[in-house]
Amino acid sequence: MPAKLIKEGVYSVGAIDWNERHFHGHTYVTKRGVTYNSYLILDEKVALIDTVRHGFQKELIENIKSIIDPTKIDVIVINHIEPDHSGAFPDLLKICPNAKVYGTQKAKQGLLKYYGVCGNWVPVKSGQNINIGKRTLDFIDVPMMHWPDSMFTYSAYDKILFSNDGFGQHYATNKVFDYEVNFDVLMDEAQKYYANILWPFNMIISPKLAAISKLNLNIEIIAPSHGLVWRKHIPEIMQKYLYWSSHSCKNRIAIVYETMWNSTEKMARKIVEGITSQGVESILFDVTKNDRTDIASYMLEAKGWVFGSSTHDGEMLPVIAGFLHFLKGSKAKGRKSFAFGSYGWSGEATKDIENTISNVTFFEPSFKVVFNPTCEELDKCFEIGKAFALKIKSED
Ligand code: FEO
């Protein structure tokens, strides 16, 4: 991606990873690819906010070269050390070894552990700032948004908040601003990102957003380190972050299941019929045929979580087991659930489901059937779905 001007003197100089389909190992399916955003600020001093993933350093350096000689960089701000943002740091440091490097104390420790270098390091924390000419860059600690080292950088002169992982989306595009892409797609990617990256840190994010709000920053642009830059839709994304981080959810039910010989699937279909009969929104997810990334995104706003599995060798099936282990890391609150499934002779799957994820959701009694569900048992599935939907609705 060539460098793009985002405000006078401020350029986006990062890289586009068009074909990245598995982020964070295999935990996050990135169907639309990923960007690693980095921002160059030209003032009396030249500042670079964040770098890019290793392998994309050439793109970063070429983009900087299209604006200015990279040896002239005076200041490198490391908002966050995860390798998707710091991977090019060692190469950059070789080009401008005398640049001062700003970040939290934890960021320094992390860089040394990853790369054995941290450059001419200056530790900073909330309340501190540096002057680079017309501009002052203010630092705001945001630990666990996304790692303990994370911080935001704010330029009051530009009215830009450089938010690193905060407000990101995994969306590879050569557009820069939020208004240049389809709004629904953008918000869908922002939700997926929140559900798969930030959800586990709600208890920290929610008060942090409140504290930042009290700073009364004048923000016209939010420039994250992934995806589009927010300019037109800042109120919408702010409202969503407040909603998600407060564990708010809708009268919506996700039914997530894995089936061996379709008996558990037959039960799932009847349960969803019962839910639908009460006008409650729901989606049926066969966990073997859907990306866990999409399922988690839907579940972020779902009050009801229903899980089904056949019993296999005295356990729930392996794909749903993997999904539940992933989901329990969400540390969600305020959800209701029940488990269901078919079995041959022992029927441990429902108990296995409950034991795995009862830390983040409250379970109603489970329902299981032997082998193939009878007509009466399918009727019971319908009734269970109906009763569950009524319970979800009654708790508004
Ligand atoms: Fe985009 Fe936590 O790194």
Side-chain angles (χ1 to χ4, degrees):
M1 175 175 76
K4 298 254 175 91
L5 185 71
I6 65 166
K7 192 141 190 186
E8 191 182 347
V10 183
Y11 297 84
S12 178
V13 290
I16 305 180
D17 195 349
W18 294 100
N19 294 308
E20 177 62 282
R21 291 294 177 267
H22 295 282
F23 191 78
H24 269 178
H26 270 60
T27 65
Y28 188 154
V29 178
T30 48
K31 284 182 196 154
R32 289 193 168 85
V34 173
T35 73
Y36 313 112
N37 301 348
S38 171
Y39 299 97
L40 184 71
I41 305 175
L42 305 188
D43 206 317
E44 288 169 26
K45 290 181 181 167
V46 176
L48 186 76
I49 313 276
D50 293 316
T51 76
V52 297
R53 185 175 183 167
H54 182 73
F56 292 85
Q57 62 271 33
K58 189 164 175 288
E59 196 170 333
L60 170 70
I61 291 163
E62 287 303 315
N63 286 341
I64 296 170
K65 274 185 184 166
S66 72
I67 308 294
I68 195 169
D69 177 355
T71 63
K72 299 200 180 310
I73 293 173
D74 303 293
V75 167
I76 301 172
V77 175
I78 298 289
N79 275 326
H80 177 31
I81 57 146
E82 195 165 3
D84 50 332
H85 307 294
S86 67
F89 174 70
D91 289 291
L92 192 69
L93 212 49
K94 287 178 194 156
I95 294 172
C96 42
N98 297 320
K100 283 194 173 171
V101 185
Y102 295 84
T104 61
Q105 188 61 30
K106 284 198 183 305
K108 177 184 178 182
Q109 293 161 5
L111 286 181
L112 287 173
K113 191 69 171 58
Y114 268 119
Y115 311 111
V117 292
C118 68
N120 190 3
W121 189 267
V122 184
V124 289
K125 57 187 177 187
S126 284
Q128 294 185 320
N129 56 51
I130 56 166
N131 183 269
I132 60 169
K134 295 189 293 275
R135 294 168 174 83
T136 295
L137 301 180
D138 289 280
F139 304 111
I140 304 165
D141 298 337
V142 286
M144 305 319 293
M145 200 166 169
H146 155 239
W147 279 9
D149 57 278
S150 296
M151 68 176 194
F152 291 170
T153 298
Y154 173 65
S155 168
Y157 179 86
D158 302 298
K159 303 186 179 78
I160 300 178
L161 182 69
F162 298 97
S163 60
N164 195 268
D165 276 340
F167 311 103
Q169 334 93 46
H170 283 326
Y171 190 169
T173 168
N174 46 23
K175 307 291 185 195
V176 175
F177 290 107
D178 53 2
Y179 56 78
E180 297 182 278
V181 299
N182 179 282
F183 176 73
D184 292 335
V185 172
L186 174 69
M187 295 307 285
D188 183 51
E189 290 300 335
Q191 180 163 338
K192 234 182 270 184
Y193 184 96
Y194 193 95
N196 287 276
I197 301 280
L198 296 175
W199 192 358
F201 310 116
N202 273 3
M203 74 173 71
I204 298 167
I205 292 172
S206 187
K208 197 71 201 178
L209 289 176
I212 290 173
S213 162
K214 283 189 186 149
L215 297 176
N216 286 319
L217 304 179
N218 189 353
I219 299 172
E220 287 183 356
I221 291 176
I222 297 178
S225 290
H226 295 294
L228 282 304
V229 171
W230 300 93
R231 194 155 92 182
K232 181 178 178 189
H233 298 298
I234 290 174
E236 291 94 329
I237 192 62
M238 279 293 186
Q239 187 274 331
K240 277 293 189 183
Y241 264 57
L242 291 170
Y243 181 78
W244 295 326
S245 65
S246 64
H247 296 281
S248 299
C249 40
K250 302 175 182 171
N251 288 345
R252 159 189 283 190
I253 299 172
I255 301 106
V256 186
Y257 69 97
E258 183 175 0
T259 193
M260 253 174 90
W261 292 108
N262 293 332
S263 299
T264 299
E265 174 159 328
K266 285 178 194 166
M267 297 173 76
R269 287 179 179 277
K270 274 294 167 193
I271 289 167
V272 81
E273 278 180 32
I275 291 169
T276 307
S277 74
Q278 298 309 303
V280 174
E281 179 200 329
S282 62
I283 289 187
L284 203 56
F285 293 101
D286 178 336
V287 74
T288 68
K289 294 176 182 166
N290 291 275
D291 292 332
R292 72 175 68 167
T293 302
D294 294 331
I295 305 173
S297 184
Y298 187 80
M299 295 179 85
L300 176 65
E301 294 192 348
K303 196 190 291 177
W305 294 359
V306 178
F307 302 108
S309 176
S310 320
T311 296
H312 177 263
D313 292 344
E315 309 275 351
M316 66 177 135
L317 288 167
V319 179
I320 192 158
F323 177 73
L324 295 185
H325 277 282
F326 167 77
L327 191 64
K328 77 177 181 181
S330 71
K331 301 180 181 63
K333 288 184 181 169
R335 318 295 161 139
K336 285 216 174 308
S337 293
F338 69 89
F340 67 95
S342 83
Y343 67 102
W345 48 95
S346 53
E348 291 92 341
T350 49
K351 186 52 75 182
D352 208 5
I353 288 168
E354 291 168 4
N355 288 343
T356 302
I357 200 164
S358 58
N359 66 321
V360 290
T361 184
F362 175 80
F363 276 90
E364 305 279 335
S366 61
F367 183 55
K368 53 188 177 182
V369 305
V370 175
F371 295 136
N372 201 23
T374 62
C375 290
E376 291 73 26
E377 286 167 334
L378 287 175
D379 287 345
K380 177 115 190 254
C381 286
F382 181 93
E383 292 304 322
I384 288 171
K386 186 174 156 185
F388 189 68
L390 284 170
K391 194 162 276 186
I392 292 291
K393 279 206 295 190
S394 71
E395 290 177 359
D396 271 349

